[in-house]
C-alpha cells in the first residue's frame, strides 16, 4: 500500500496545486493593488471630468472577473486556472453601457 501509484499521483497533484495556489495568492495581491488604483483613478476622473472613463469601466469589470476566477480556483470551487492559463476575461459591460455610464 505504501507504493500505491494512484495515491502517489494524488499527492503529487496536491503539491502542484499548492505551488499554483501560492503563485495565484501573490497574483491576487497584485490584482488587488491594481483594483484600488483603478478605483482611485476612476473616482478622480469622475470628480474632475464629470464622467466615468469608459476604458476603466471595461478593464475594472475584466479585473473583477479575474479575481472571481482566481477565488474559485483558490477555494477549490474550480480546477480551472485563471489567466494566464486561460484567456483574460472579456468585459461584460456592453459598449452601449460604457457610453451611457461614461456620460
Amino acid at each position: 500500500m505504501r507504493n500505491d501509484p494512484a495515491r502517489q499521483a494524488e499527492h503529487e497533484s496536491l503539491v502542484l496545486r499548492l505551488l499554483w495556489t501560492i503563485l495565484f495568492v501573490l497574483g491576487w495581491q497584485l490584482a488587488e493593488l491594481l483594483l484600488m488604483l483603478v478605483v482611485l483613478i476612476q473616482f478622480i476622473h469622475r470628480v474632475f471630468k464629470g464622467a466615468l472613463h469608459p476604458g476603466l469601466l471595461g478593464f475594472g469589470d475584466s479585473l473583477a472577473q479575474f479575481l472571481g476566477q482566481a477565488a474559485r480556483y483558490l477555494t477549490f470551487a474550480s480546477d480551472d486556472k485563471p489567466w494566464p492559463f486561460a484567456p483574460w476575461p472579456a468585459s461584460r459591460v456592453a459598449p452601449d453601457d460604457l457610453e451611457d455610464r461614461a456620460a
Side-chain angles (χ1 to χ4, degrees):
M1 230 199 234
R2 264 191 209 163
N3 296 329
D4 181 18
R7 189 173 179 135
Q8 185 176 1
E10 181 181 334
H11 177 72
E12 289 173 2
S13 175
L14 243 125
V15 170
L16 188 57
R17 175 107 185 192
L18 174 65
L19 294 175
W20 288 125
T21 297
I22 291 168
L23 288 174
F24 281 121
V25 165
L26 293 173
W28 178 282
Q29 295 298 314
L30 291 173
E32 193 175 48
L33 290 173
L34 185 57
L35 180 63
M36 290 185 342
L37 185 63
V38 167
V39 168
L40 180 64
I41 293 171
Q42 187 69 284
F43 187 80
I44 291 170
H45 193 274
R46 172 69 181 195
V47 168
F48 289 106
K49 299 285 186 174
L52 298 174
H53 189 281
L56 287 176
L57 281 174
F59 179 71
D61 183 57
S62 294
L63 184 59
Q65 289 182 67
F66 165 76
L67 287 168
Q69 290 172 355
R72 284 189 296 279
Y73 180 79
L74 291 170
T75 60
F76 286 77
S78 172
D79 289 329
D80 297 330
K81 292 188 270 312
W83 181 86
F85 297 95
W88 181 257
S91 174
R92 294 178 293 195
V93 179
D96 293 340
D97 288 344
L98 291 177
E99 292 172 9
D100 293 343
R101 298 181 90 198

